[in-house]
Amino acid sequence: MQNNSHRGIIFNIQRFAIHDGPGIRTTVFFKGCPLRCWWCHNPESHKILPEKFDGCNLRRGFDQSFSMEKDEIGKEISVDELVNEIVKDRMFFDESSGGATFSGGEPLMQPEFLIESLKECKSNGVHSVVDTCGYASSEIINEVAPYTDLFLYDLKLMNDDDHEKYTGVSNQVTLKNLVSLDQLGKKIIIRNPIVPDITNTNENLFALRGFISDLKNVMEIDLLPFHRVGEGKYTKYDKENKMGDVESPESASLENTKQFFSELNCKVKIGG
Ligand code: SF4
């Protein structure tokens, strides 16, 4: 491996992940996200810089050699160090057609670090997935695309006012970048968070299905049910939780939504 000193900030490396793309994957969680989705399960990812909290145990899932201080979220790491960690799992990738997934937070918020990591994965023969909300400049999208084998692309709300209300930003950039990736012929899995009364409304689902039906390279739609497991994190990390008493969607409602999207000619899954 050549010497690559680009550095980035991540807050976890999850080995043996099976919901972040095909096969067995090593998922790298980048720190920083430009959105503030009300239902976010990883509020500790939002700020790009490492943060200190009292009394958290964050070593779980993180390789020993890269464990952070007990009360710290986020650690600086070089591309070489990161890719060295990823290729340790090559045997599992080879056996399962897996690879590395770059997630977050939002990986496109650290574009140089991401692009160099993707290039190194490519030169090491490691399949790469970028899990993104698509909120980045078209220049970044165009630079990342050639080195990415598959995009897990979040589509949340088609009504722009609702998108701005529930995520903090307009959806125009996200929609435009998705169309660009589709036109580039990139493989895409759409991920739609199913949040009762917010994203899981008739109006939104019809609009989503209409938009997706015009795309040519969507191979799968994953419906990601809102759940309250992230709730404790809001208290633990002293973040505002706007979800109140919203419950997880019922399985009958999820099945109906799955059925609804099945009319598109691609696989539809509940969960990642
Ligand atoms: S895009 Fe993802 S990481 Fe960012 S706030 Fe929304 S749910 Fe959280």
Side-chain angles (χ1 to χ4, degrees), residues 6 28 33 35 41 46 48 56 71 75 86 92 98 109 114 132 136 162 165 169 174 198 201 257-258 265:
H6 275 87
V28 182
C33 184
L35 273 60
H41 295 152
H46 291 170
I48 197 162
C56 337
D71 58 352
K75 181 181 171 71
I86 290 170
F92 303 104
M109 256 192 111
L114 175 64
T132 180
D162 288 344
K165 173 178 175 185
V169 301
T174 292
I198 299 180
T201 64
T257 307
K258 182 179 175 187
N265 259 344

Side-chain angles (χ1 to χ4, degrees), residues 33 35-37 39-42 45-46 104-106 133 154 156:
C33 184
L35 273 60
R36 292 291 180 269
C37 305
W39 50 84
C40 183
H41 295 152
N42 289 325
S45 71
H46 291 170
E106 172 50 62
C133 68
D154 291 359
K156 304 168 197 291

Side-chain angles (χ1 to χ4, degrees), residues 3 5 11 13 25 34 37 51 61 102 109 117 121 138-139 163 167 170 181 201 204 215 217-218 223 225 234 261 267:
N3 185 14
S5 58
F11 68 98
I13 297 174
R25 311 200 67 85
C37 305
E51 294 171 84
F102 298 93
M109 256 192 111
S117 300
C121 282
S138 47
E139 289 77 18
H163 198 277
T167 74
S170 161
L181 288 174
T201 64
N204 191 45
L215 303 173
N217 294 292
V218 174
L223 307 176
Y234 282 84
F261 280 111
K267 186 172 163 190

Side-chain angles (χ1 to χ4, degrees), residues 29-231:
F29 292 85
F30 282 41
K31 192 103 161 68
C33 184
L35 273 60
R36 292 291 180 269
C37 305
W38 285 27
W39 50 84
C40 183
H41 295 152
N42 289 325
E44 75 276 30
S45 71
H46 291 170
K47 291 188 181 158
I48 197 162
L49 293 174
E51 294 171 84
K52 290 239 178 208
F53 296 93
D54 288 334
C56 337
N57 184 357
L58 299 159
R59 289 170 194 249
R60 234 171 340 136
F62 215 95
D63 187 82
Q64 278 303 310
S65 54
F66 284 94
S67 62
M68 295 173 287
E69 291 301 315
K70 205 171 166 207
D71 58 352
E72 190 174 40
I73 296 188
K75 181 181 171 71
E76 204 178 282
I77 188 170
S78 72
V79 170
D80 281 351
E81 288 169 324
L82 179 59
V83 177
N84 275 332
E85 287 303 307
I86 290 170
V87 297
K88 283 180 188 171
D89 298 329
R90 182 194 294 283
M91 190 174 75
F92 303 104
F93 304 157
D94 291 348
E95 280 181 11
S96 66
S97 301
T101 296
F102 298 93
S103 183
E106 172 50 62
L108 298 178
M109 256 192 111
Q110 301 185 59
E112 290 88 9
F113 178 59
L114 175 64
I115 291 163
E116 291 309 317
S117 300
L118 288 167
K119 283 182 183 171
E120 285 297 320
C121 282
K122 203 170 218 9
S123 65
N124 280 278
V126 173
H127 179 272
S128 63
V129 167
V130 171
D131 177 13
T132 180
C133 68
Y135 193 80
S137 70
S138 47
E139 289 77 18
I140 290 174
I141 293 288
N142 286 333
E143 277 187 72
V144 165
Y147 305 104
T148 305
D149 294 310
L150 169 68
F151 284 89
L152 304 183
Y153 203 101
D154 291 359
L155 268 192
K156 304 168 197 291
L157 286 154
M158 293 303 292
N159 178 293
D160 202 17
D161 291 338
D162 288 344
H163 198 277
E164 186 139 6
K165 173 178 175 185
Y166 290 109
T167 74
V169 301
S170 161
N171 62 13
Q172 297 304 295
V173 169
T174 292
L175 297 178
K176 182 170 157 278
N177 284 337
L178 178 55
V179 170
S180 301
L181 288 174
D182 187 60
Q183 287 172 347
L184 287 170
K186 300 307 296 186
K187 286 186 186 154
I188 300 163
I189 292 180
I190 298 289
R191 301 190 125 190
N192 175 231
I194 301 293
V195 188
D197 300 328
I198 299 180
T199 64
N200 202 22
T201 64
N202 283 345
E203 184 198 355
N204 191 45
L205 295 178
F206 271 102
L208 275 169
R209 191 173 67 179
F211 187 84
I212 296 169
S213 70
D214 288 335
L215 303 173
K216 306 276 181 293
N217 294 292
V218 174
M219 43 188 288
E220 184 176 308
I221 299 171
D222 292 347
L223 307 176
L224 307 180
F226 166 73
H227 54 76
R228 300 182 67 155
V229 297
E231 201 174 15

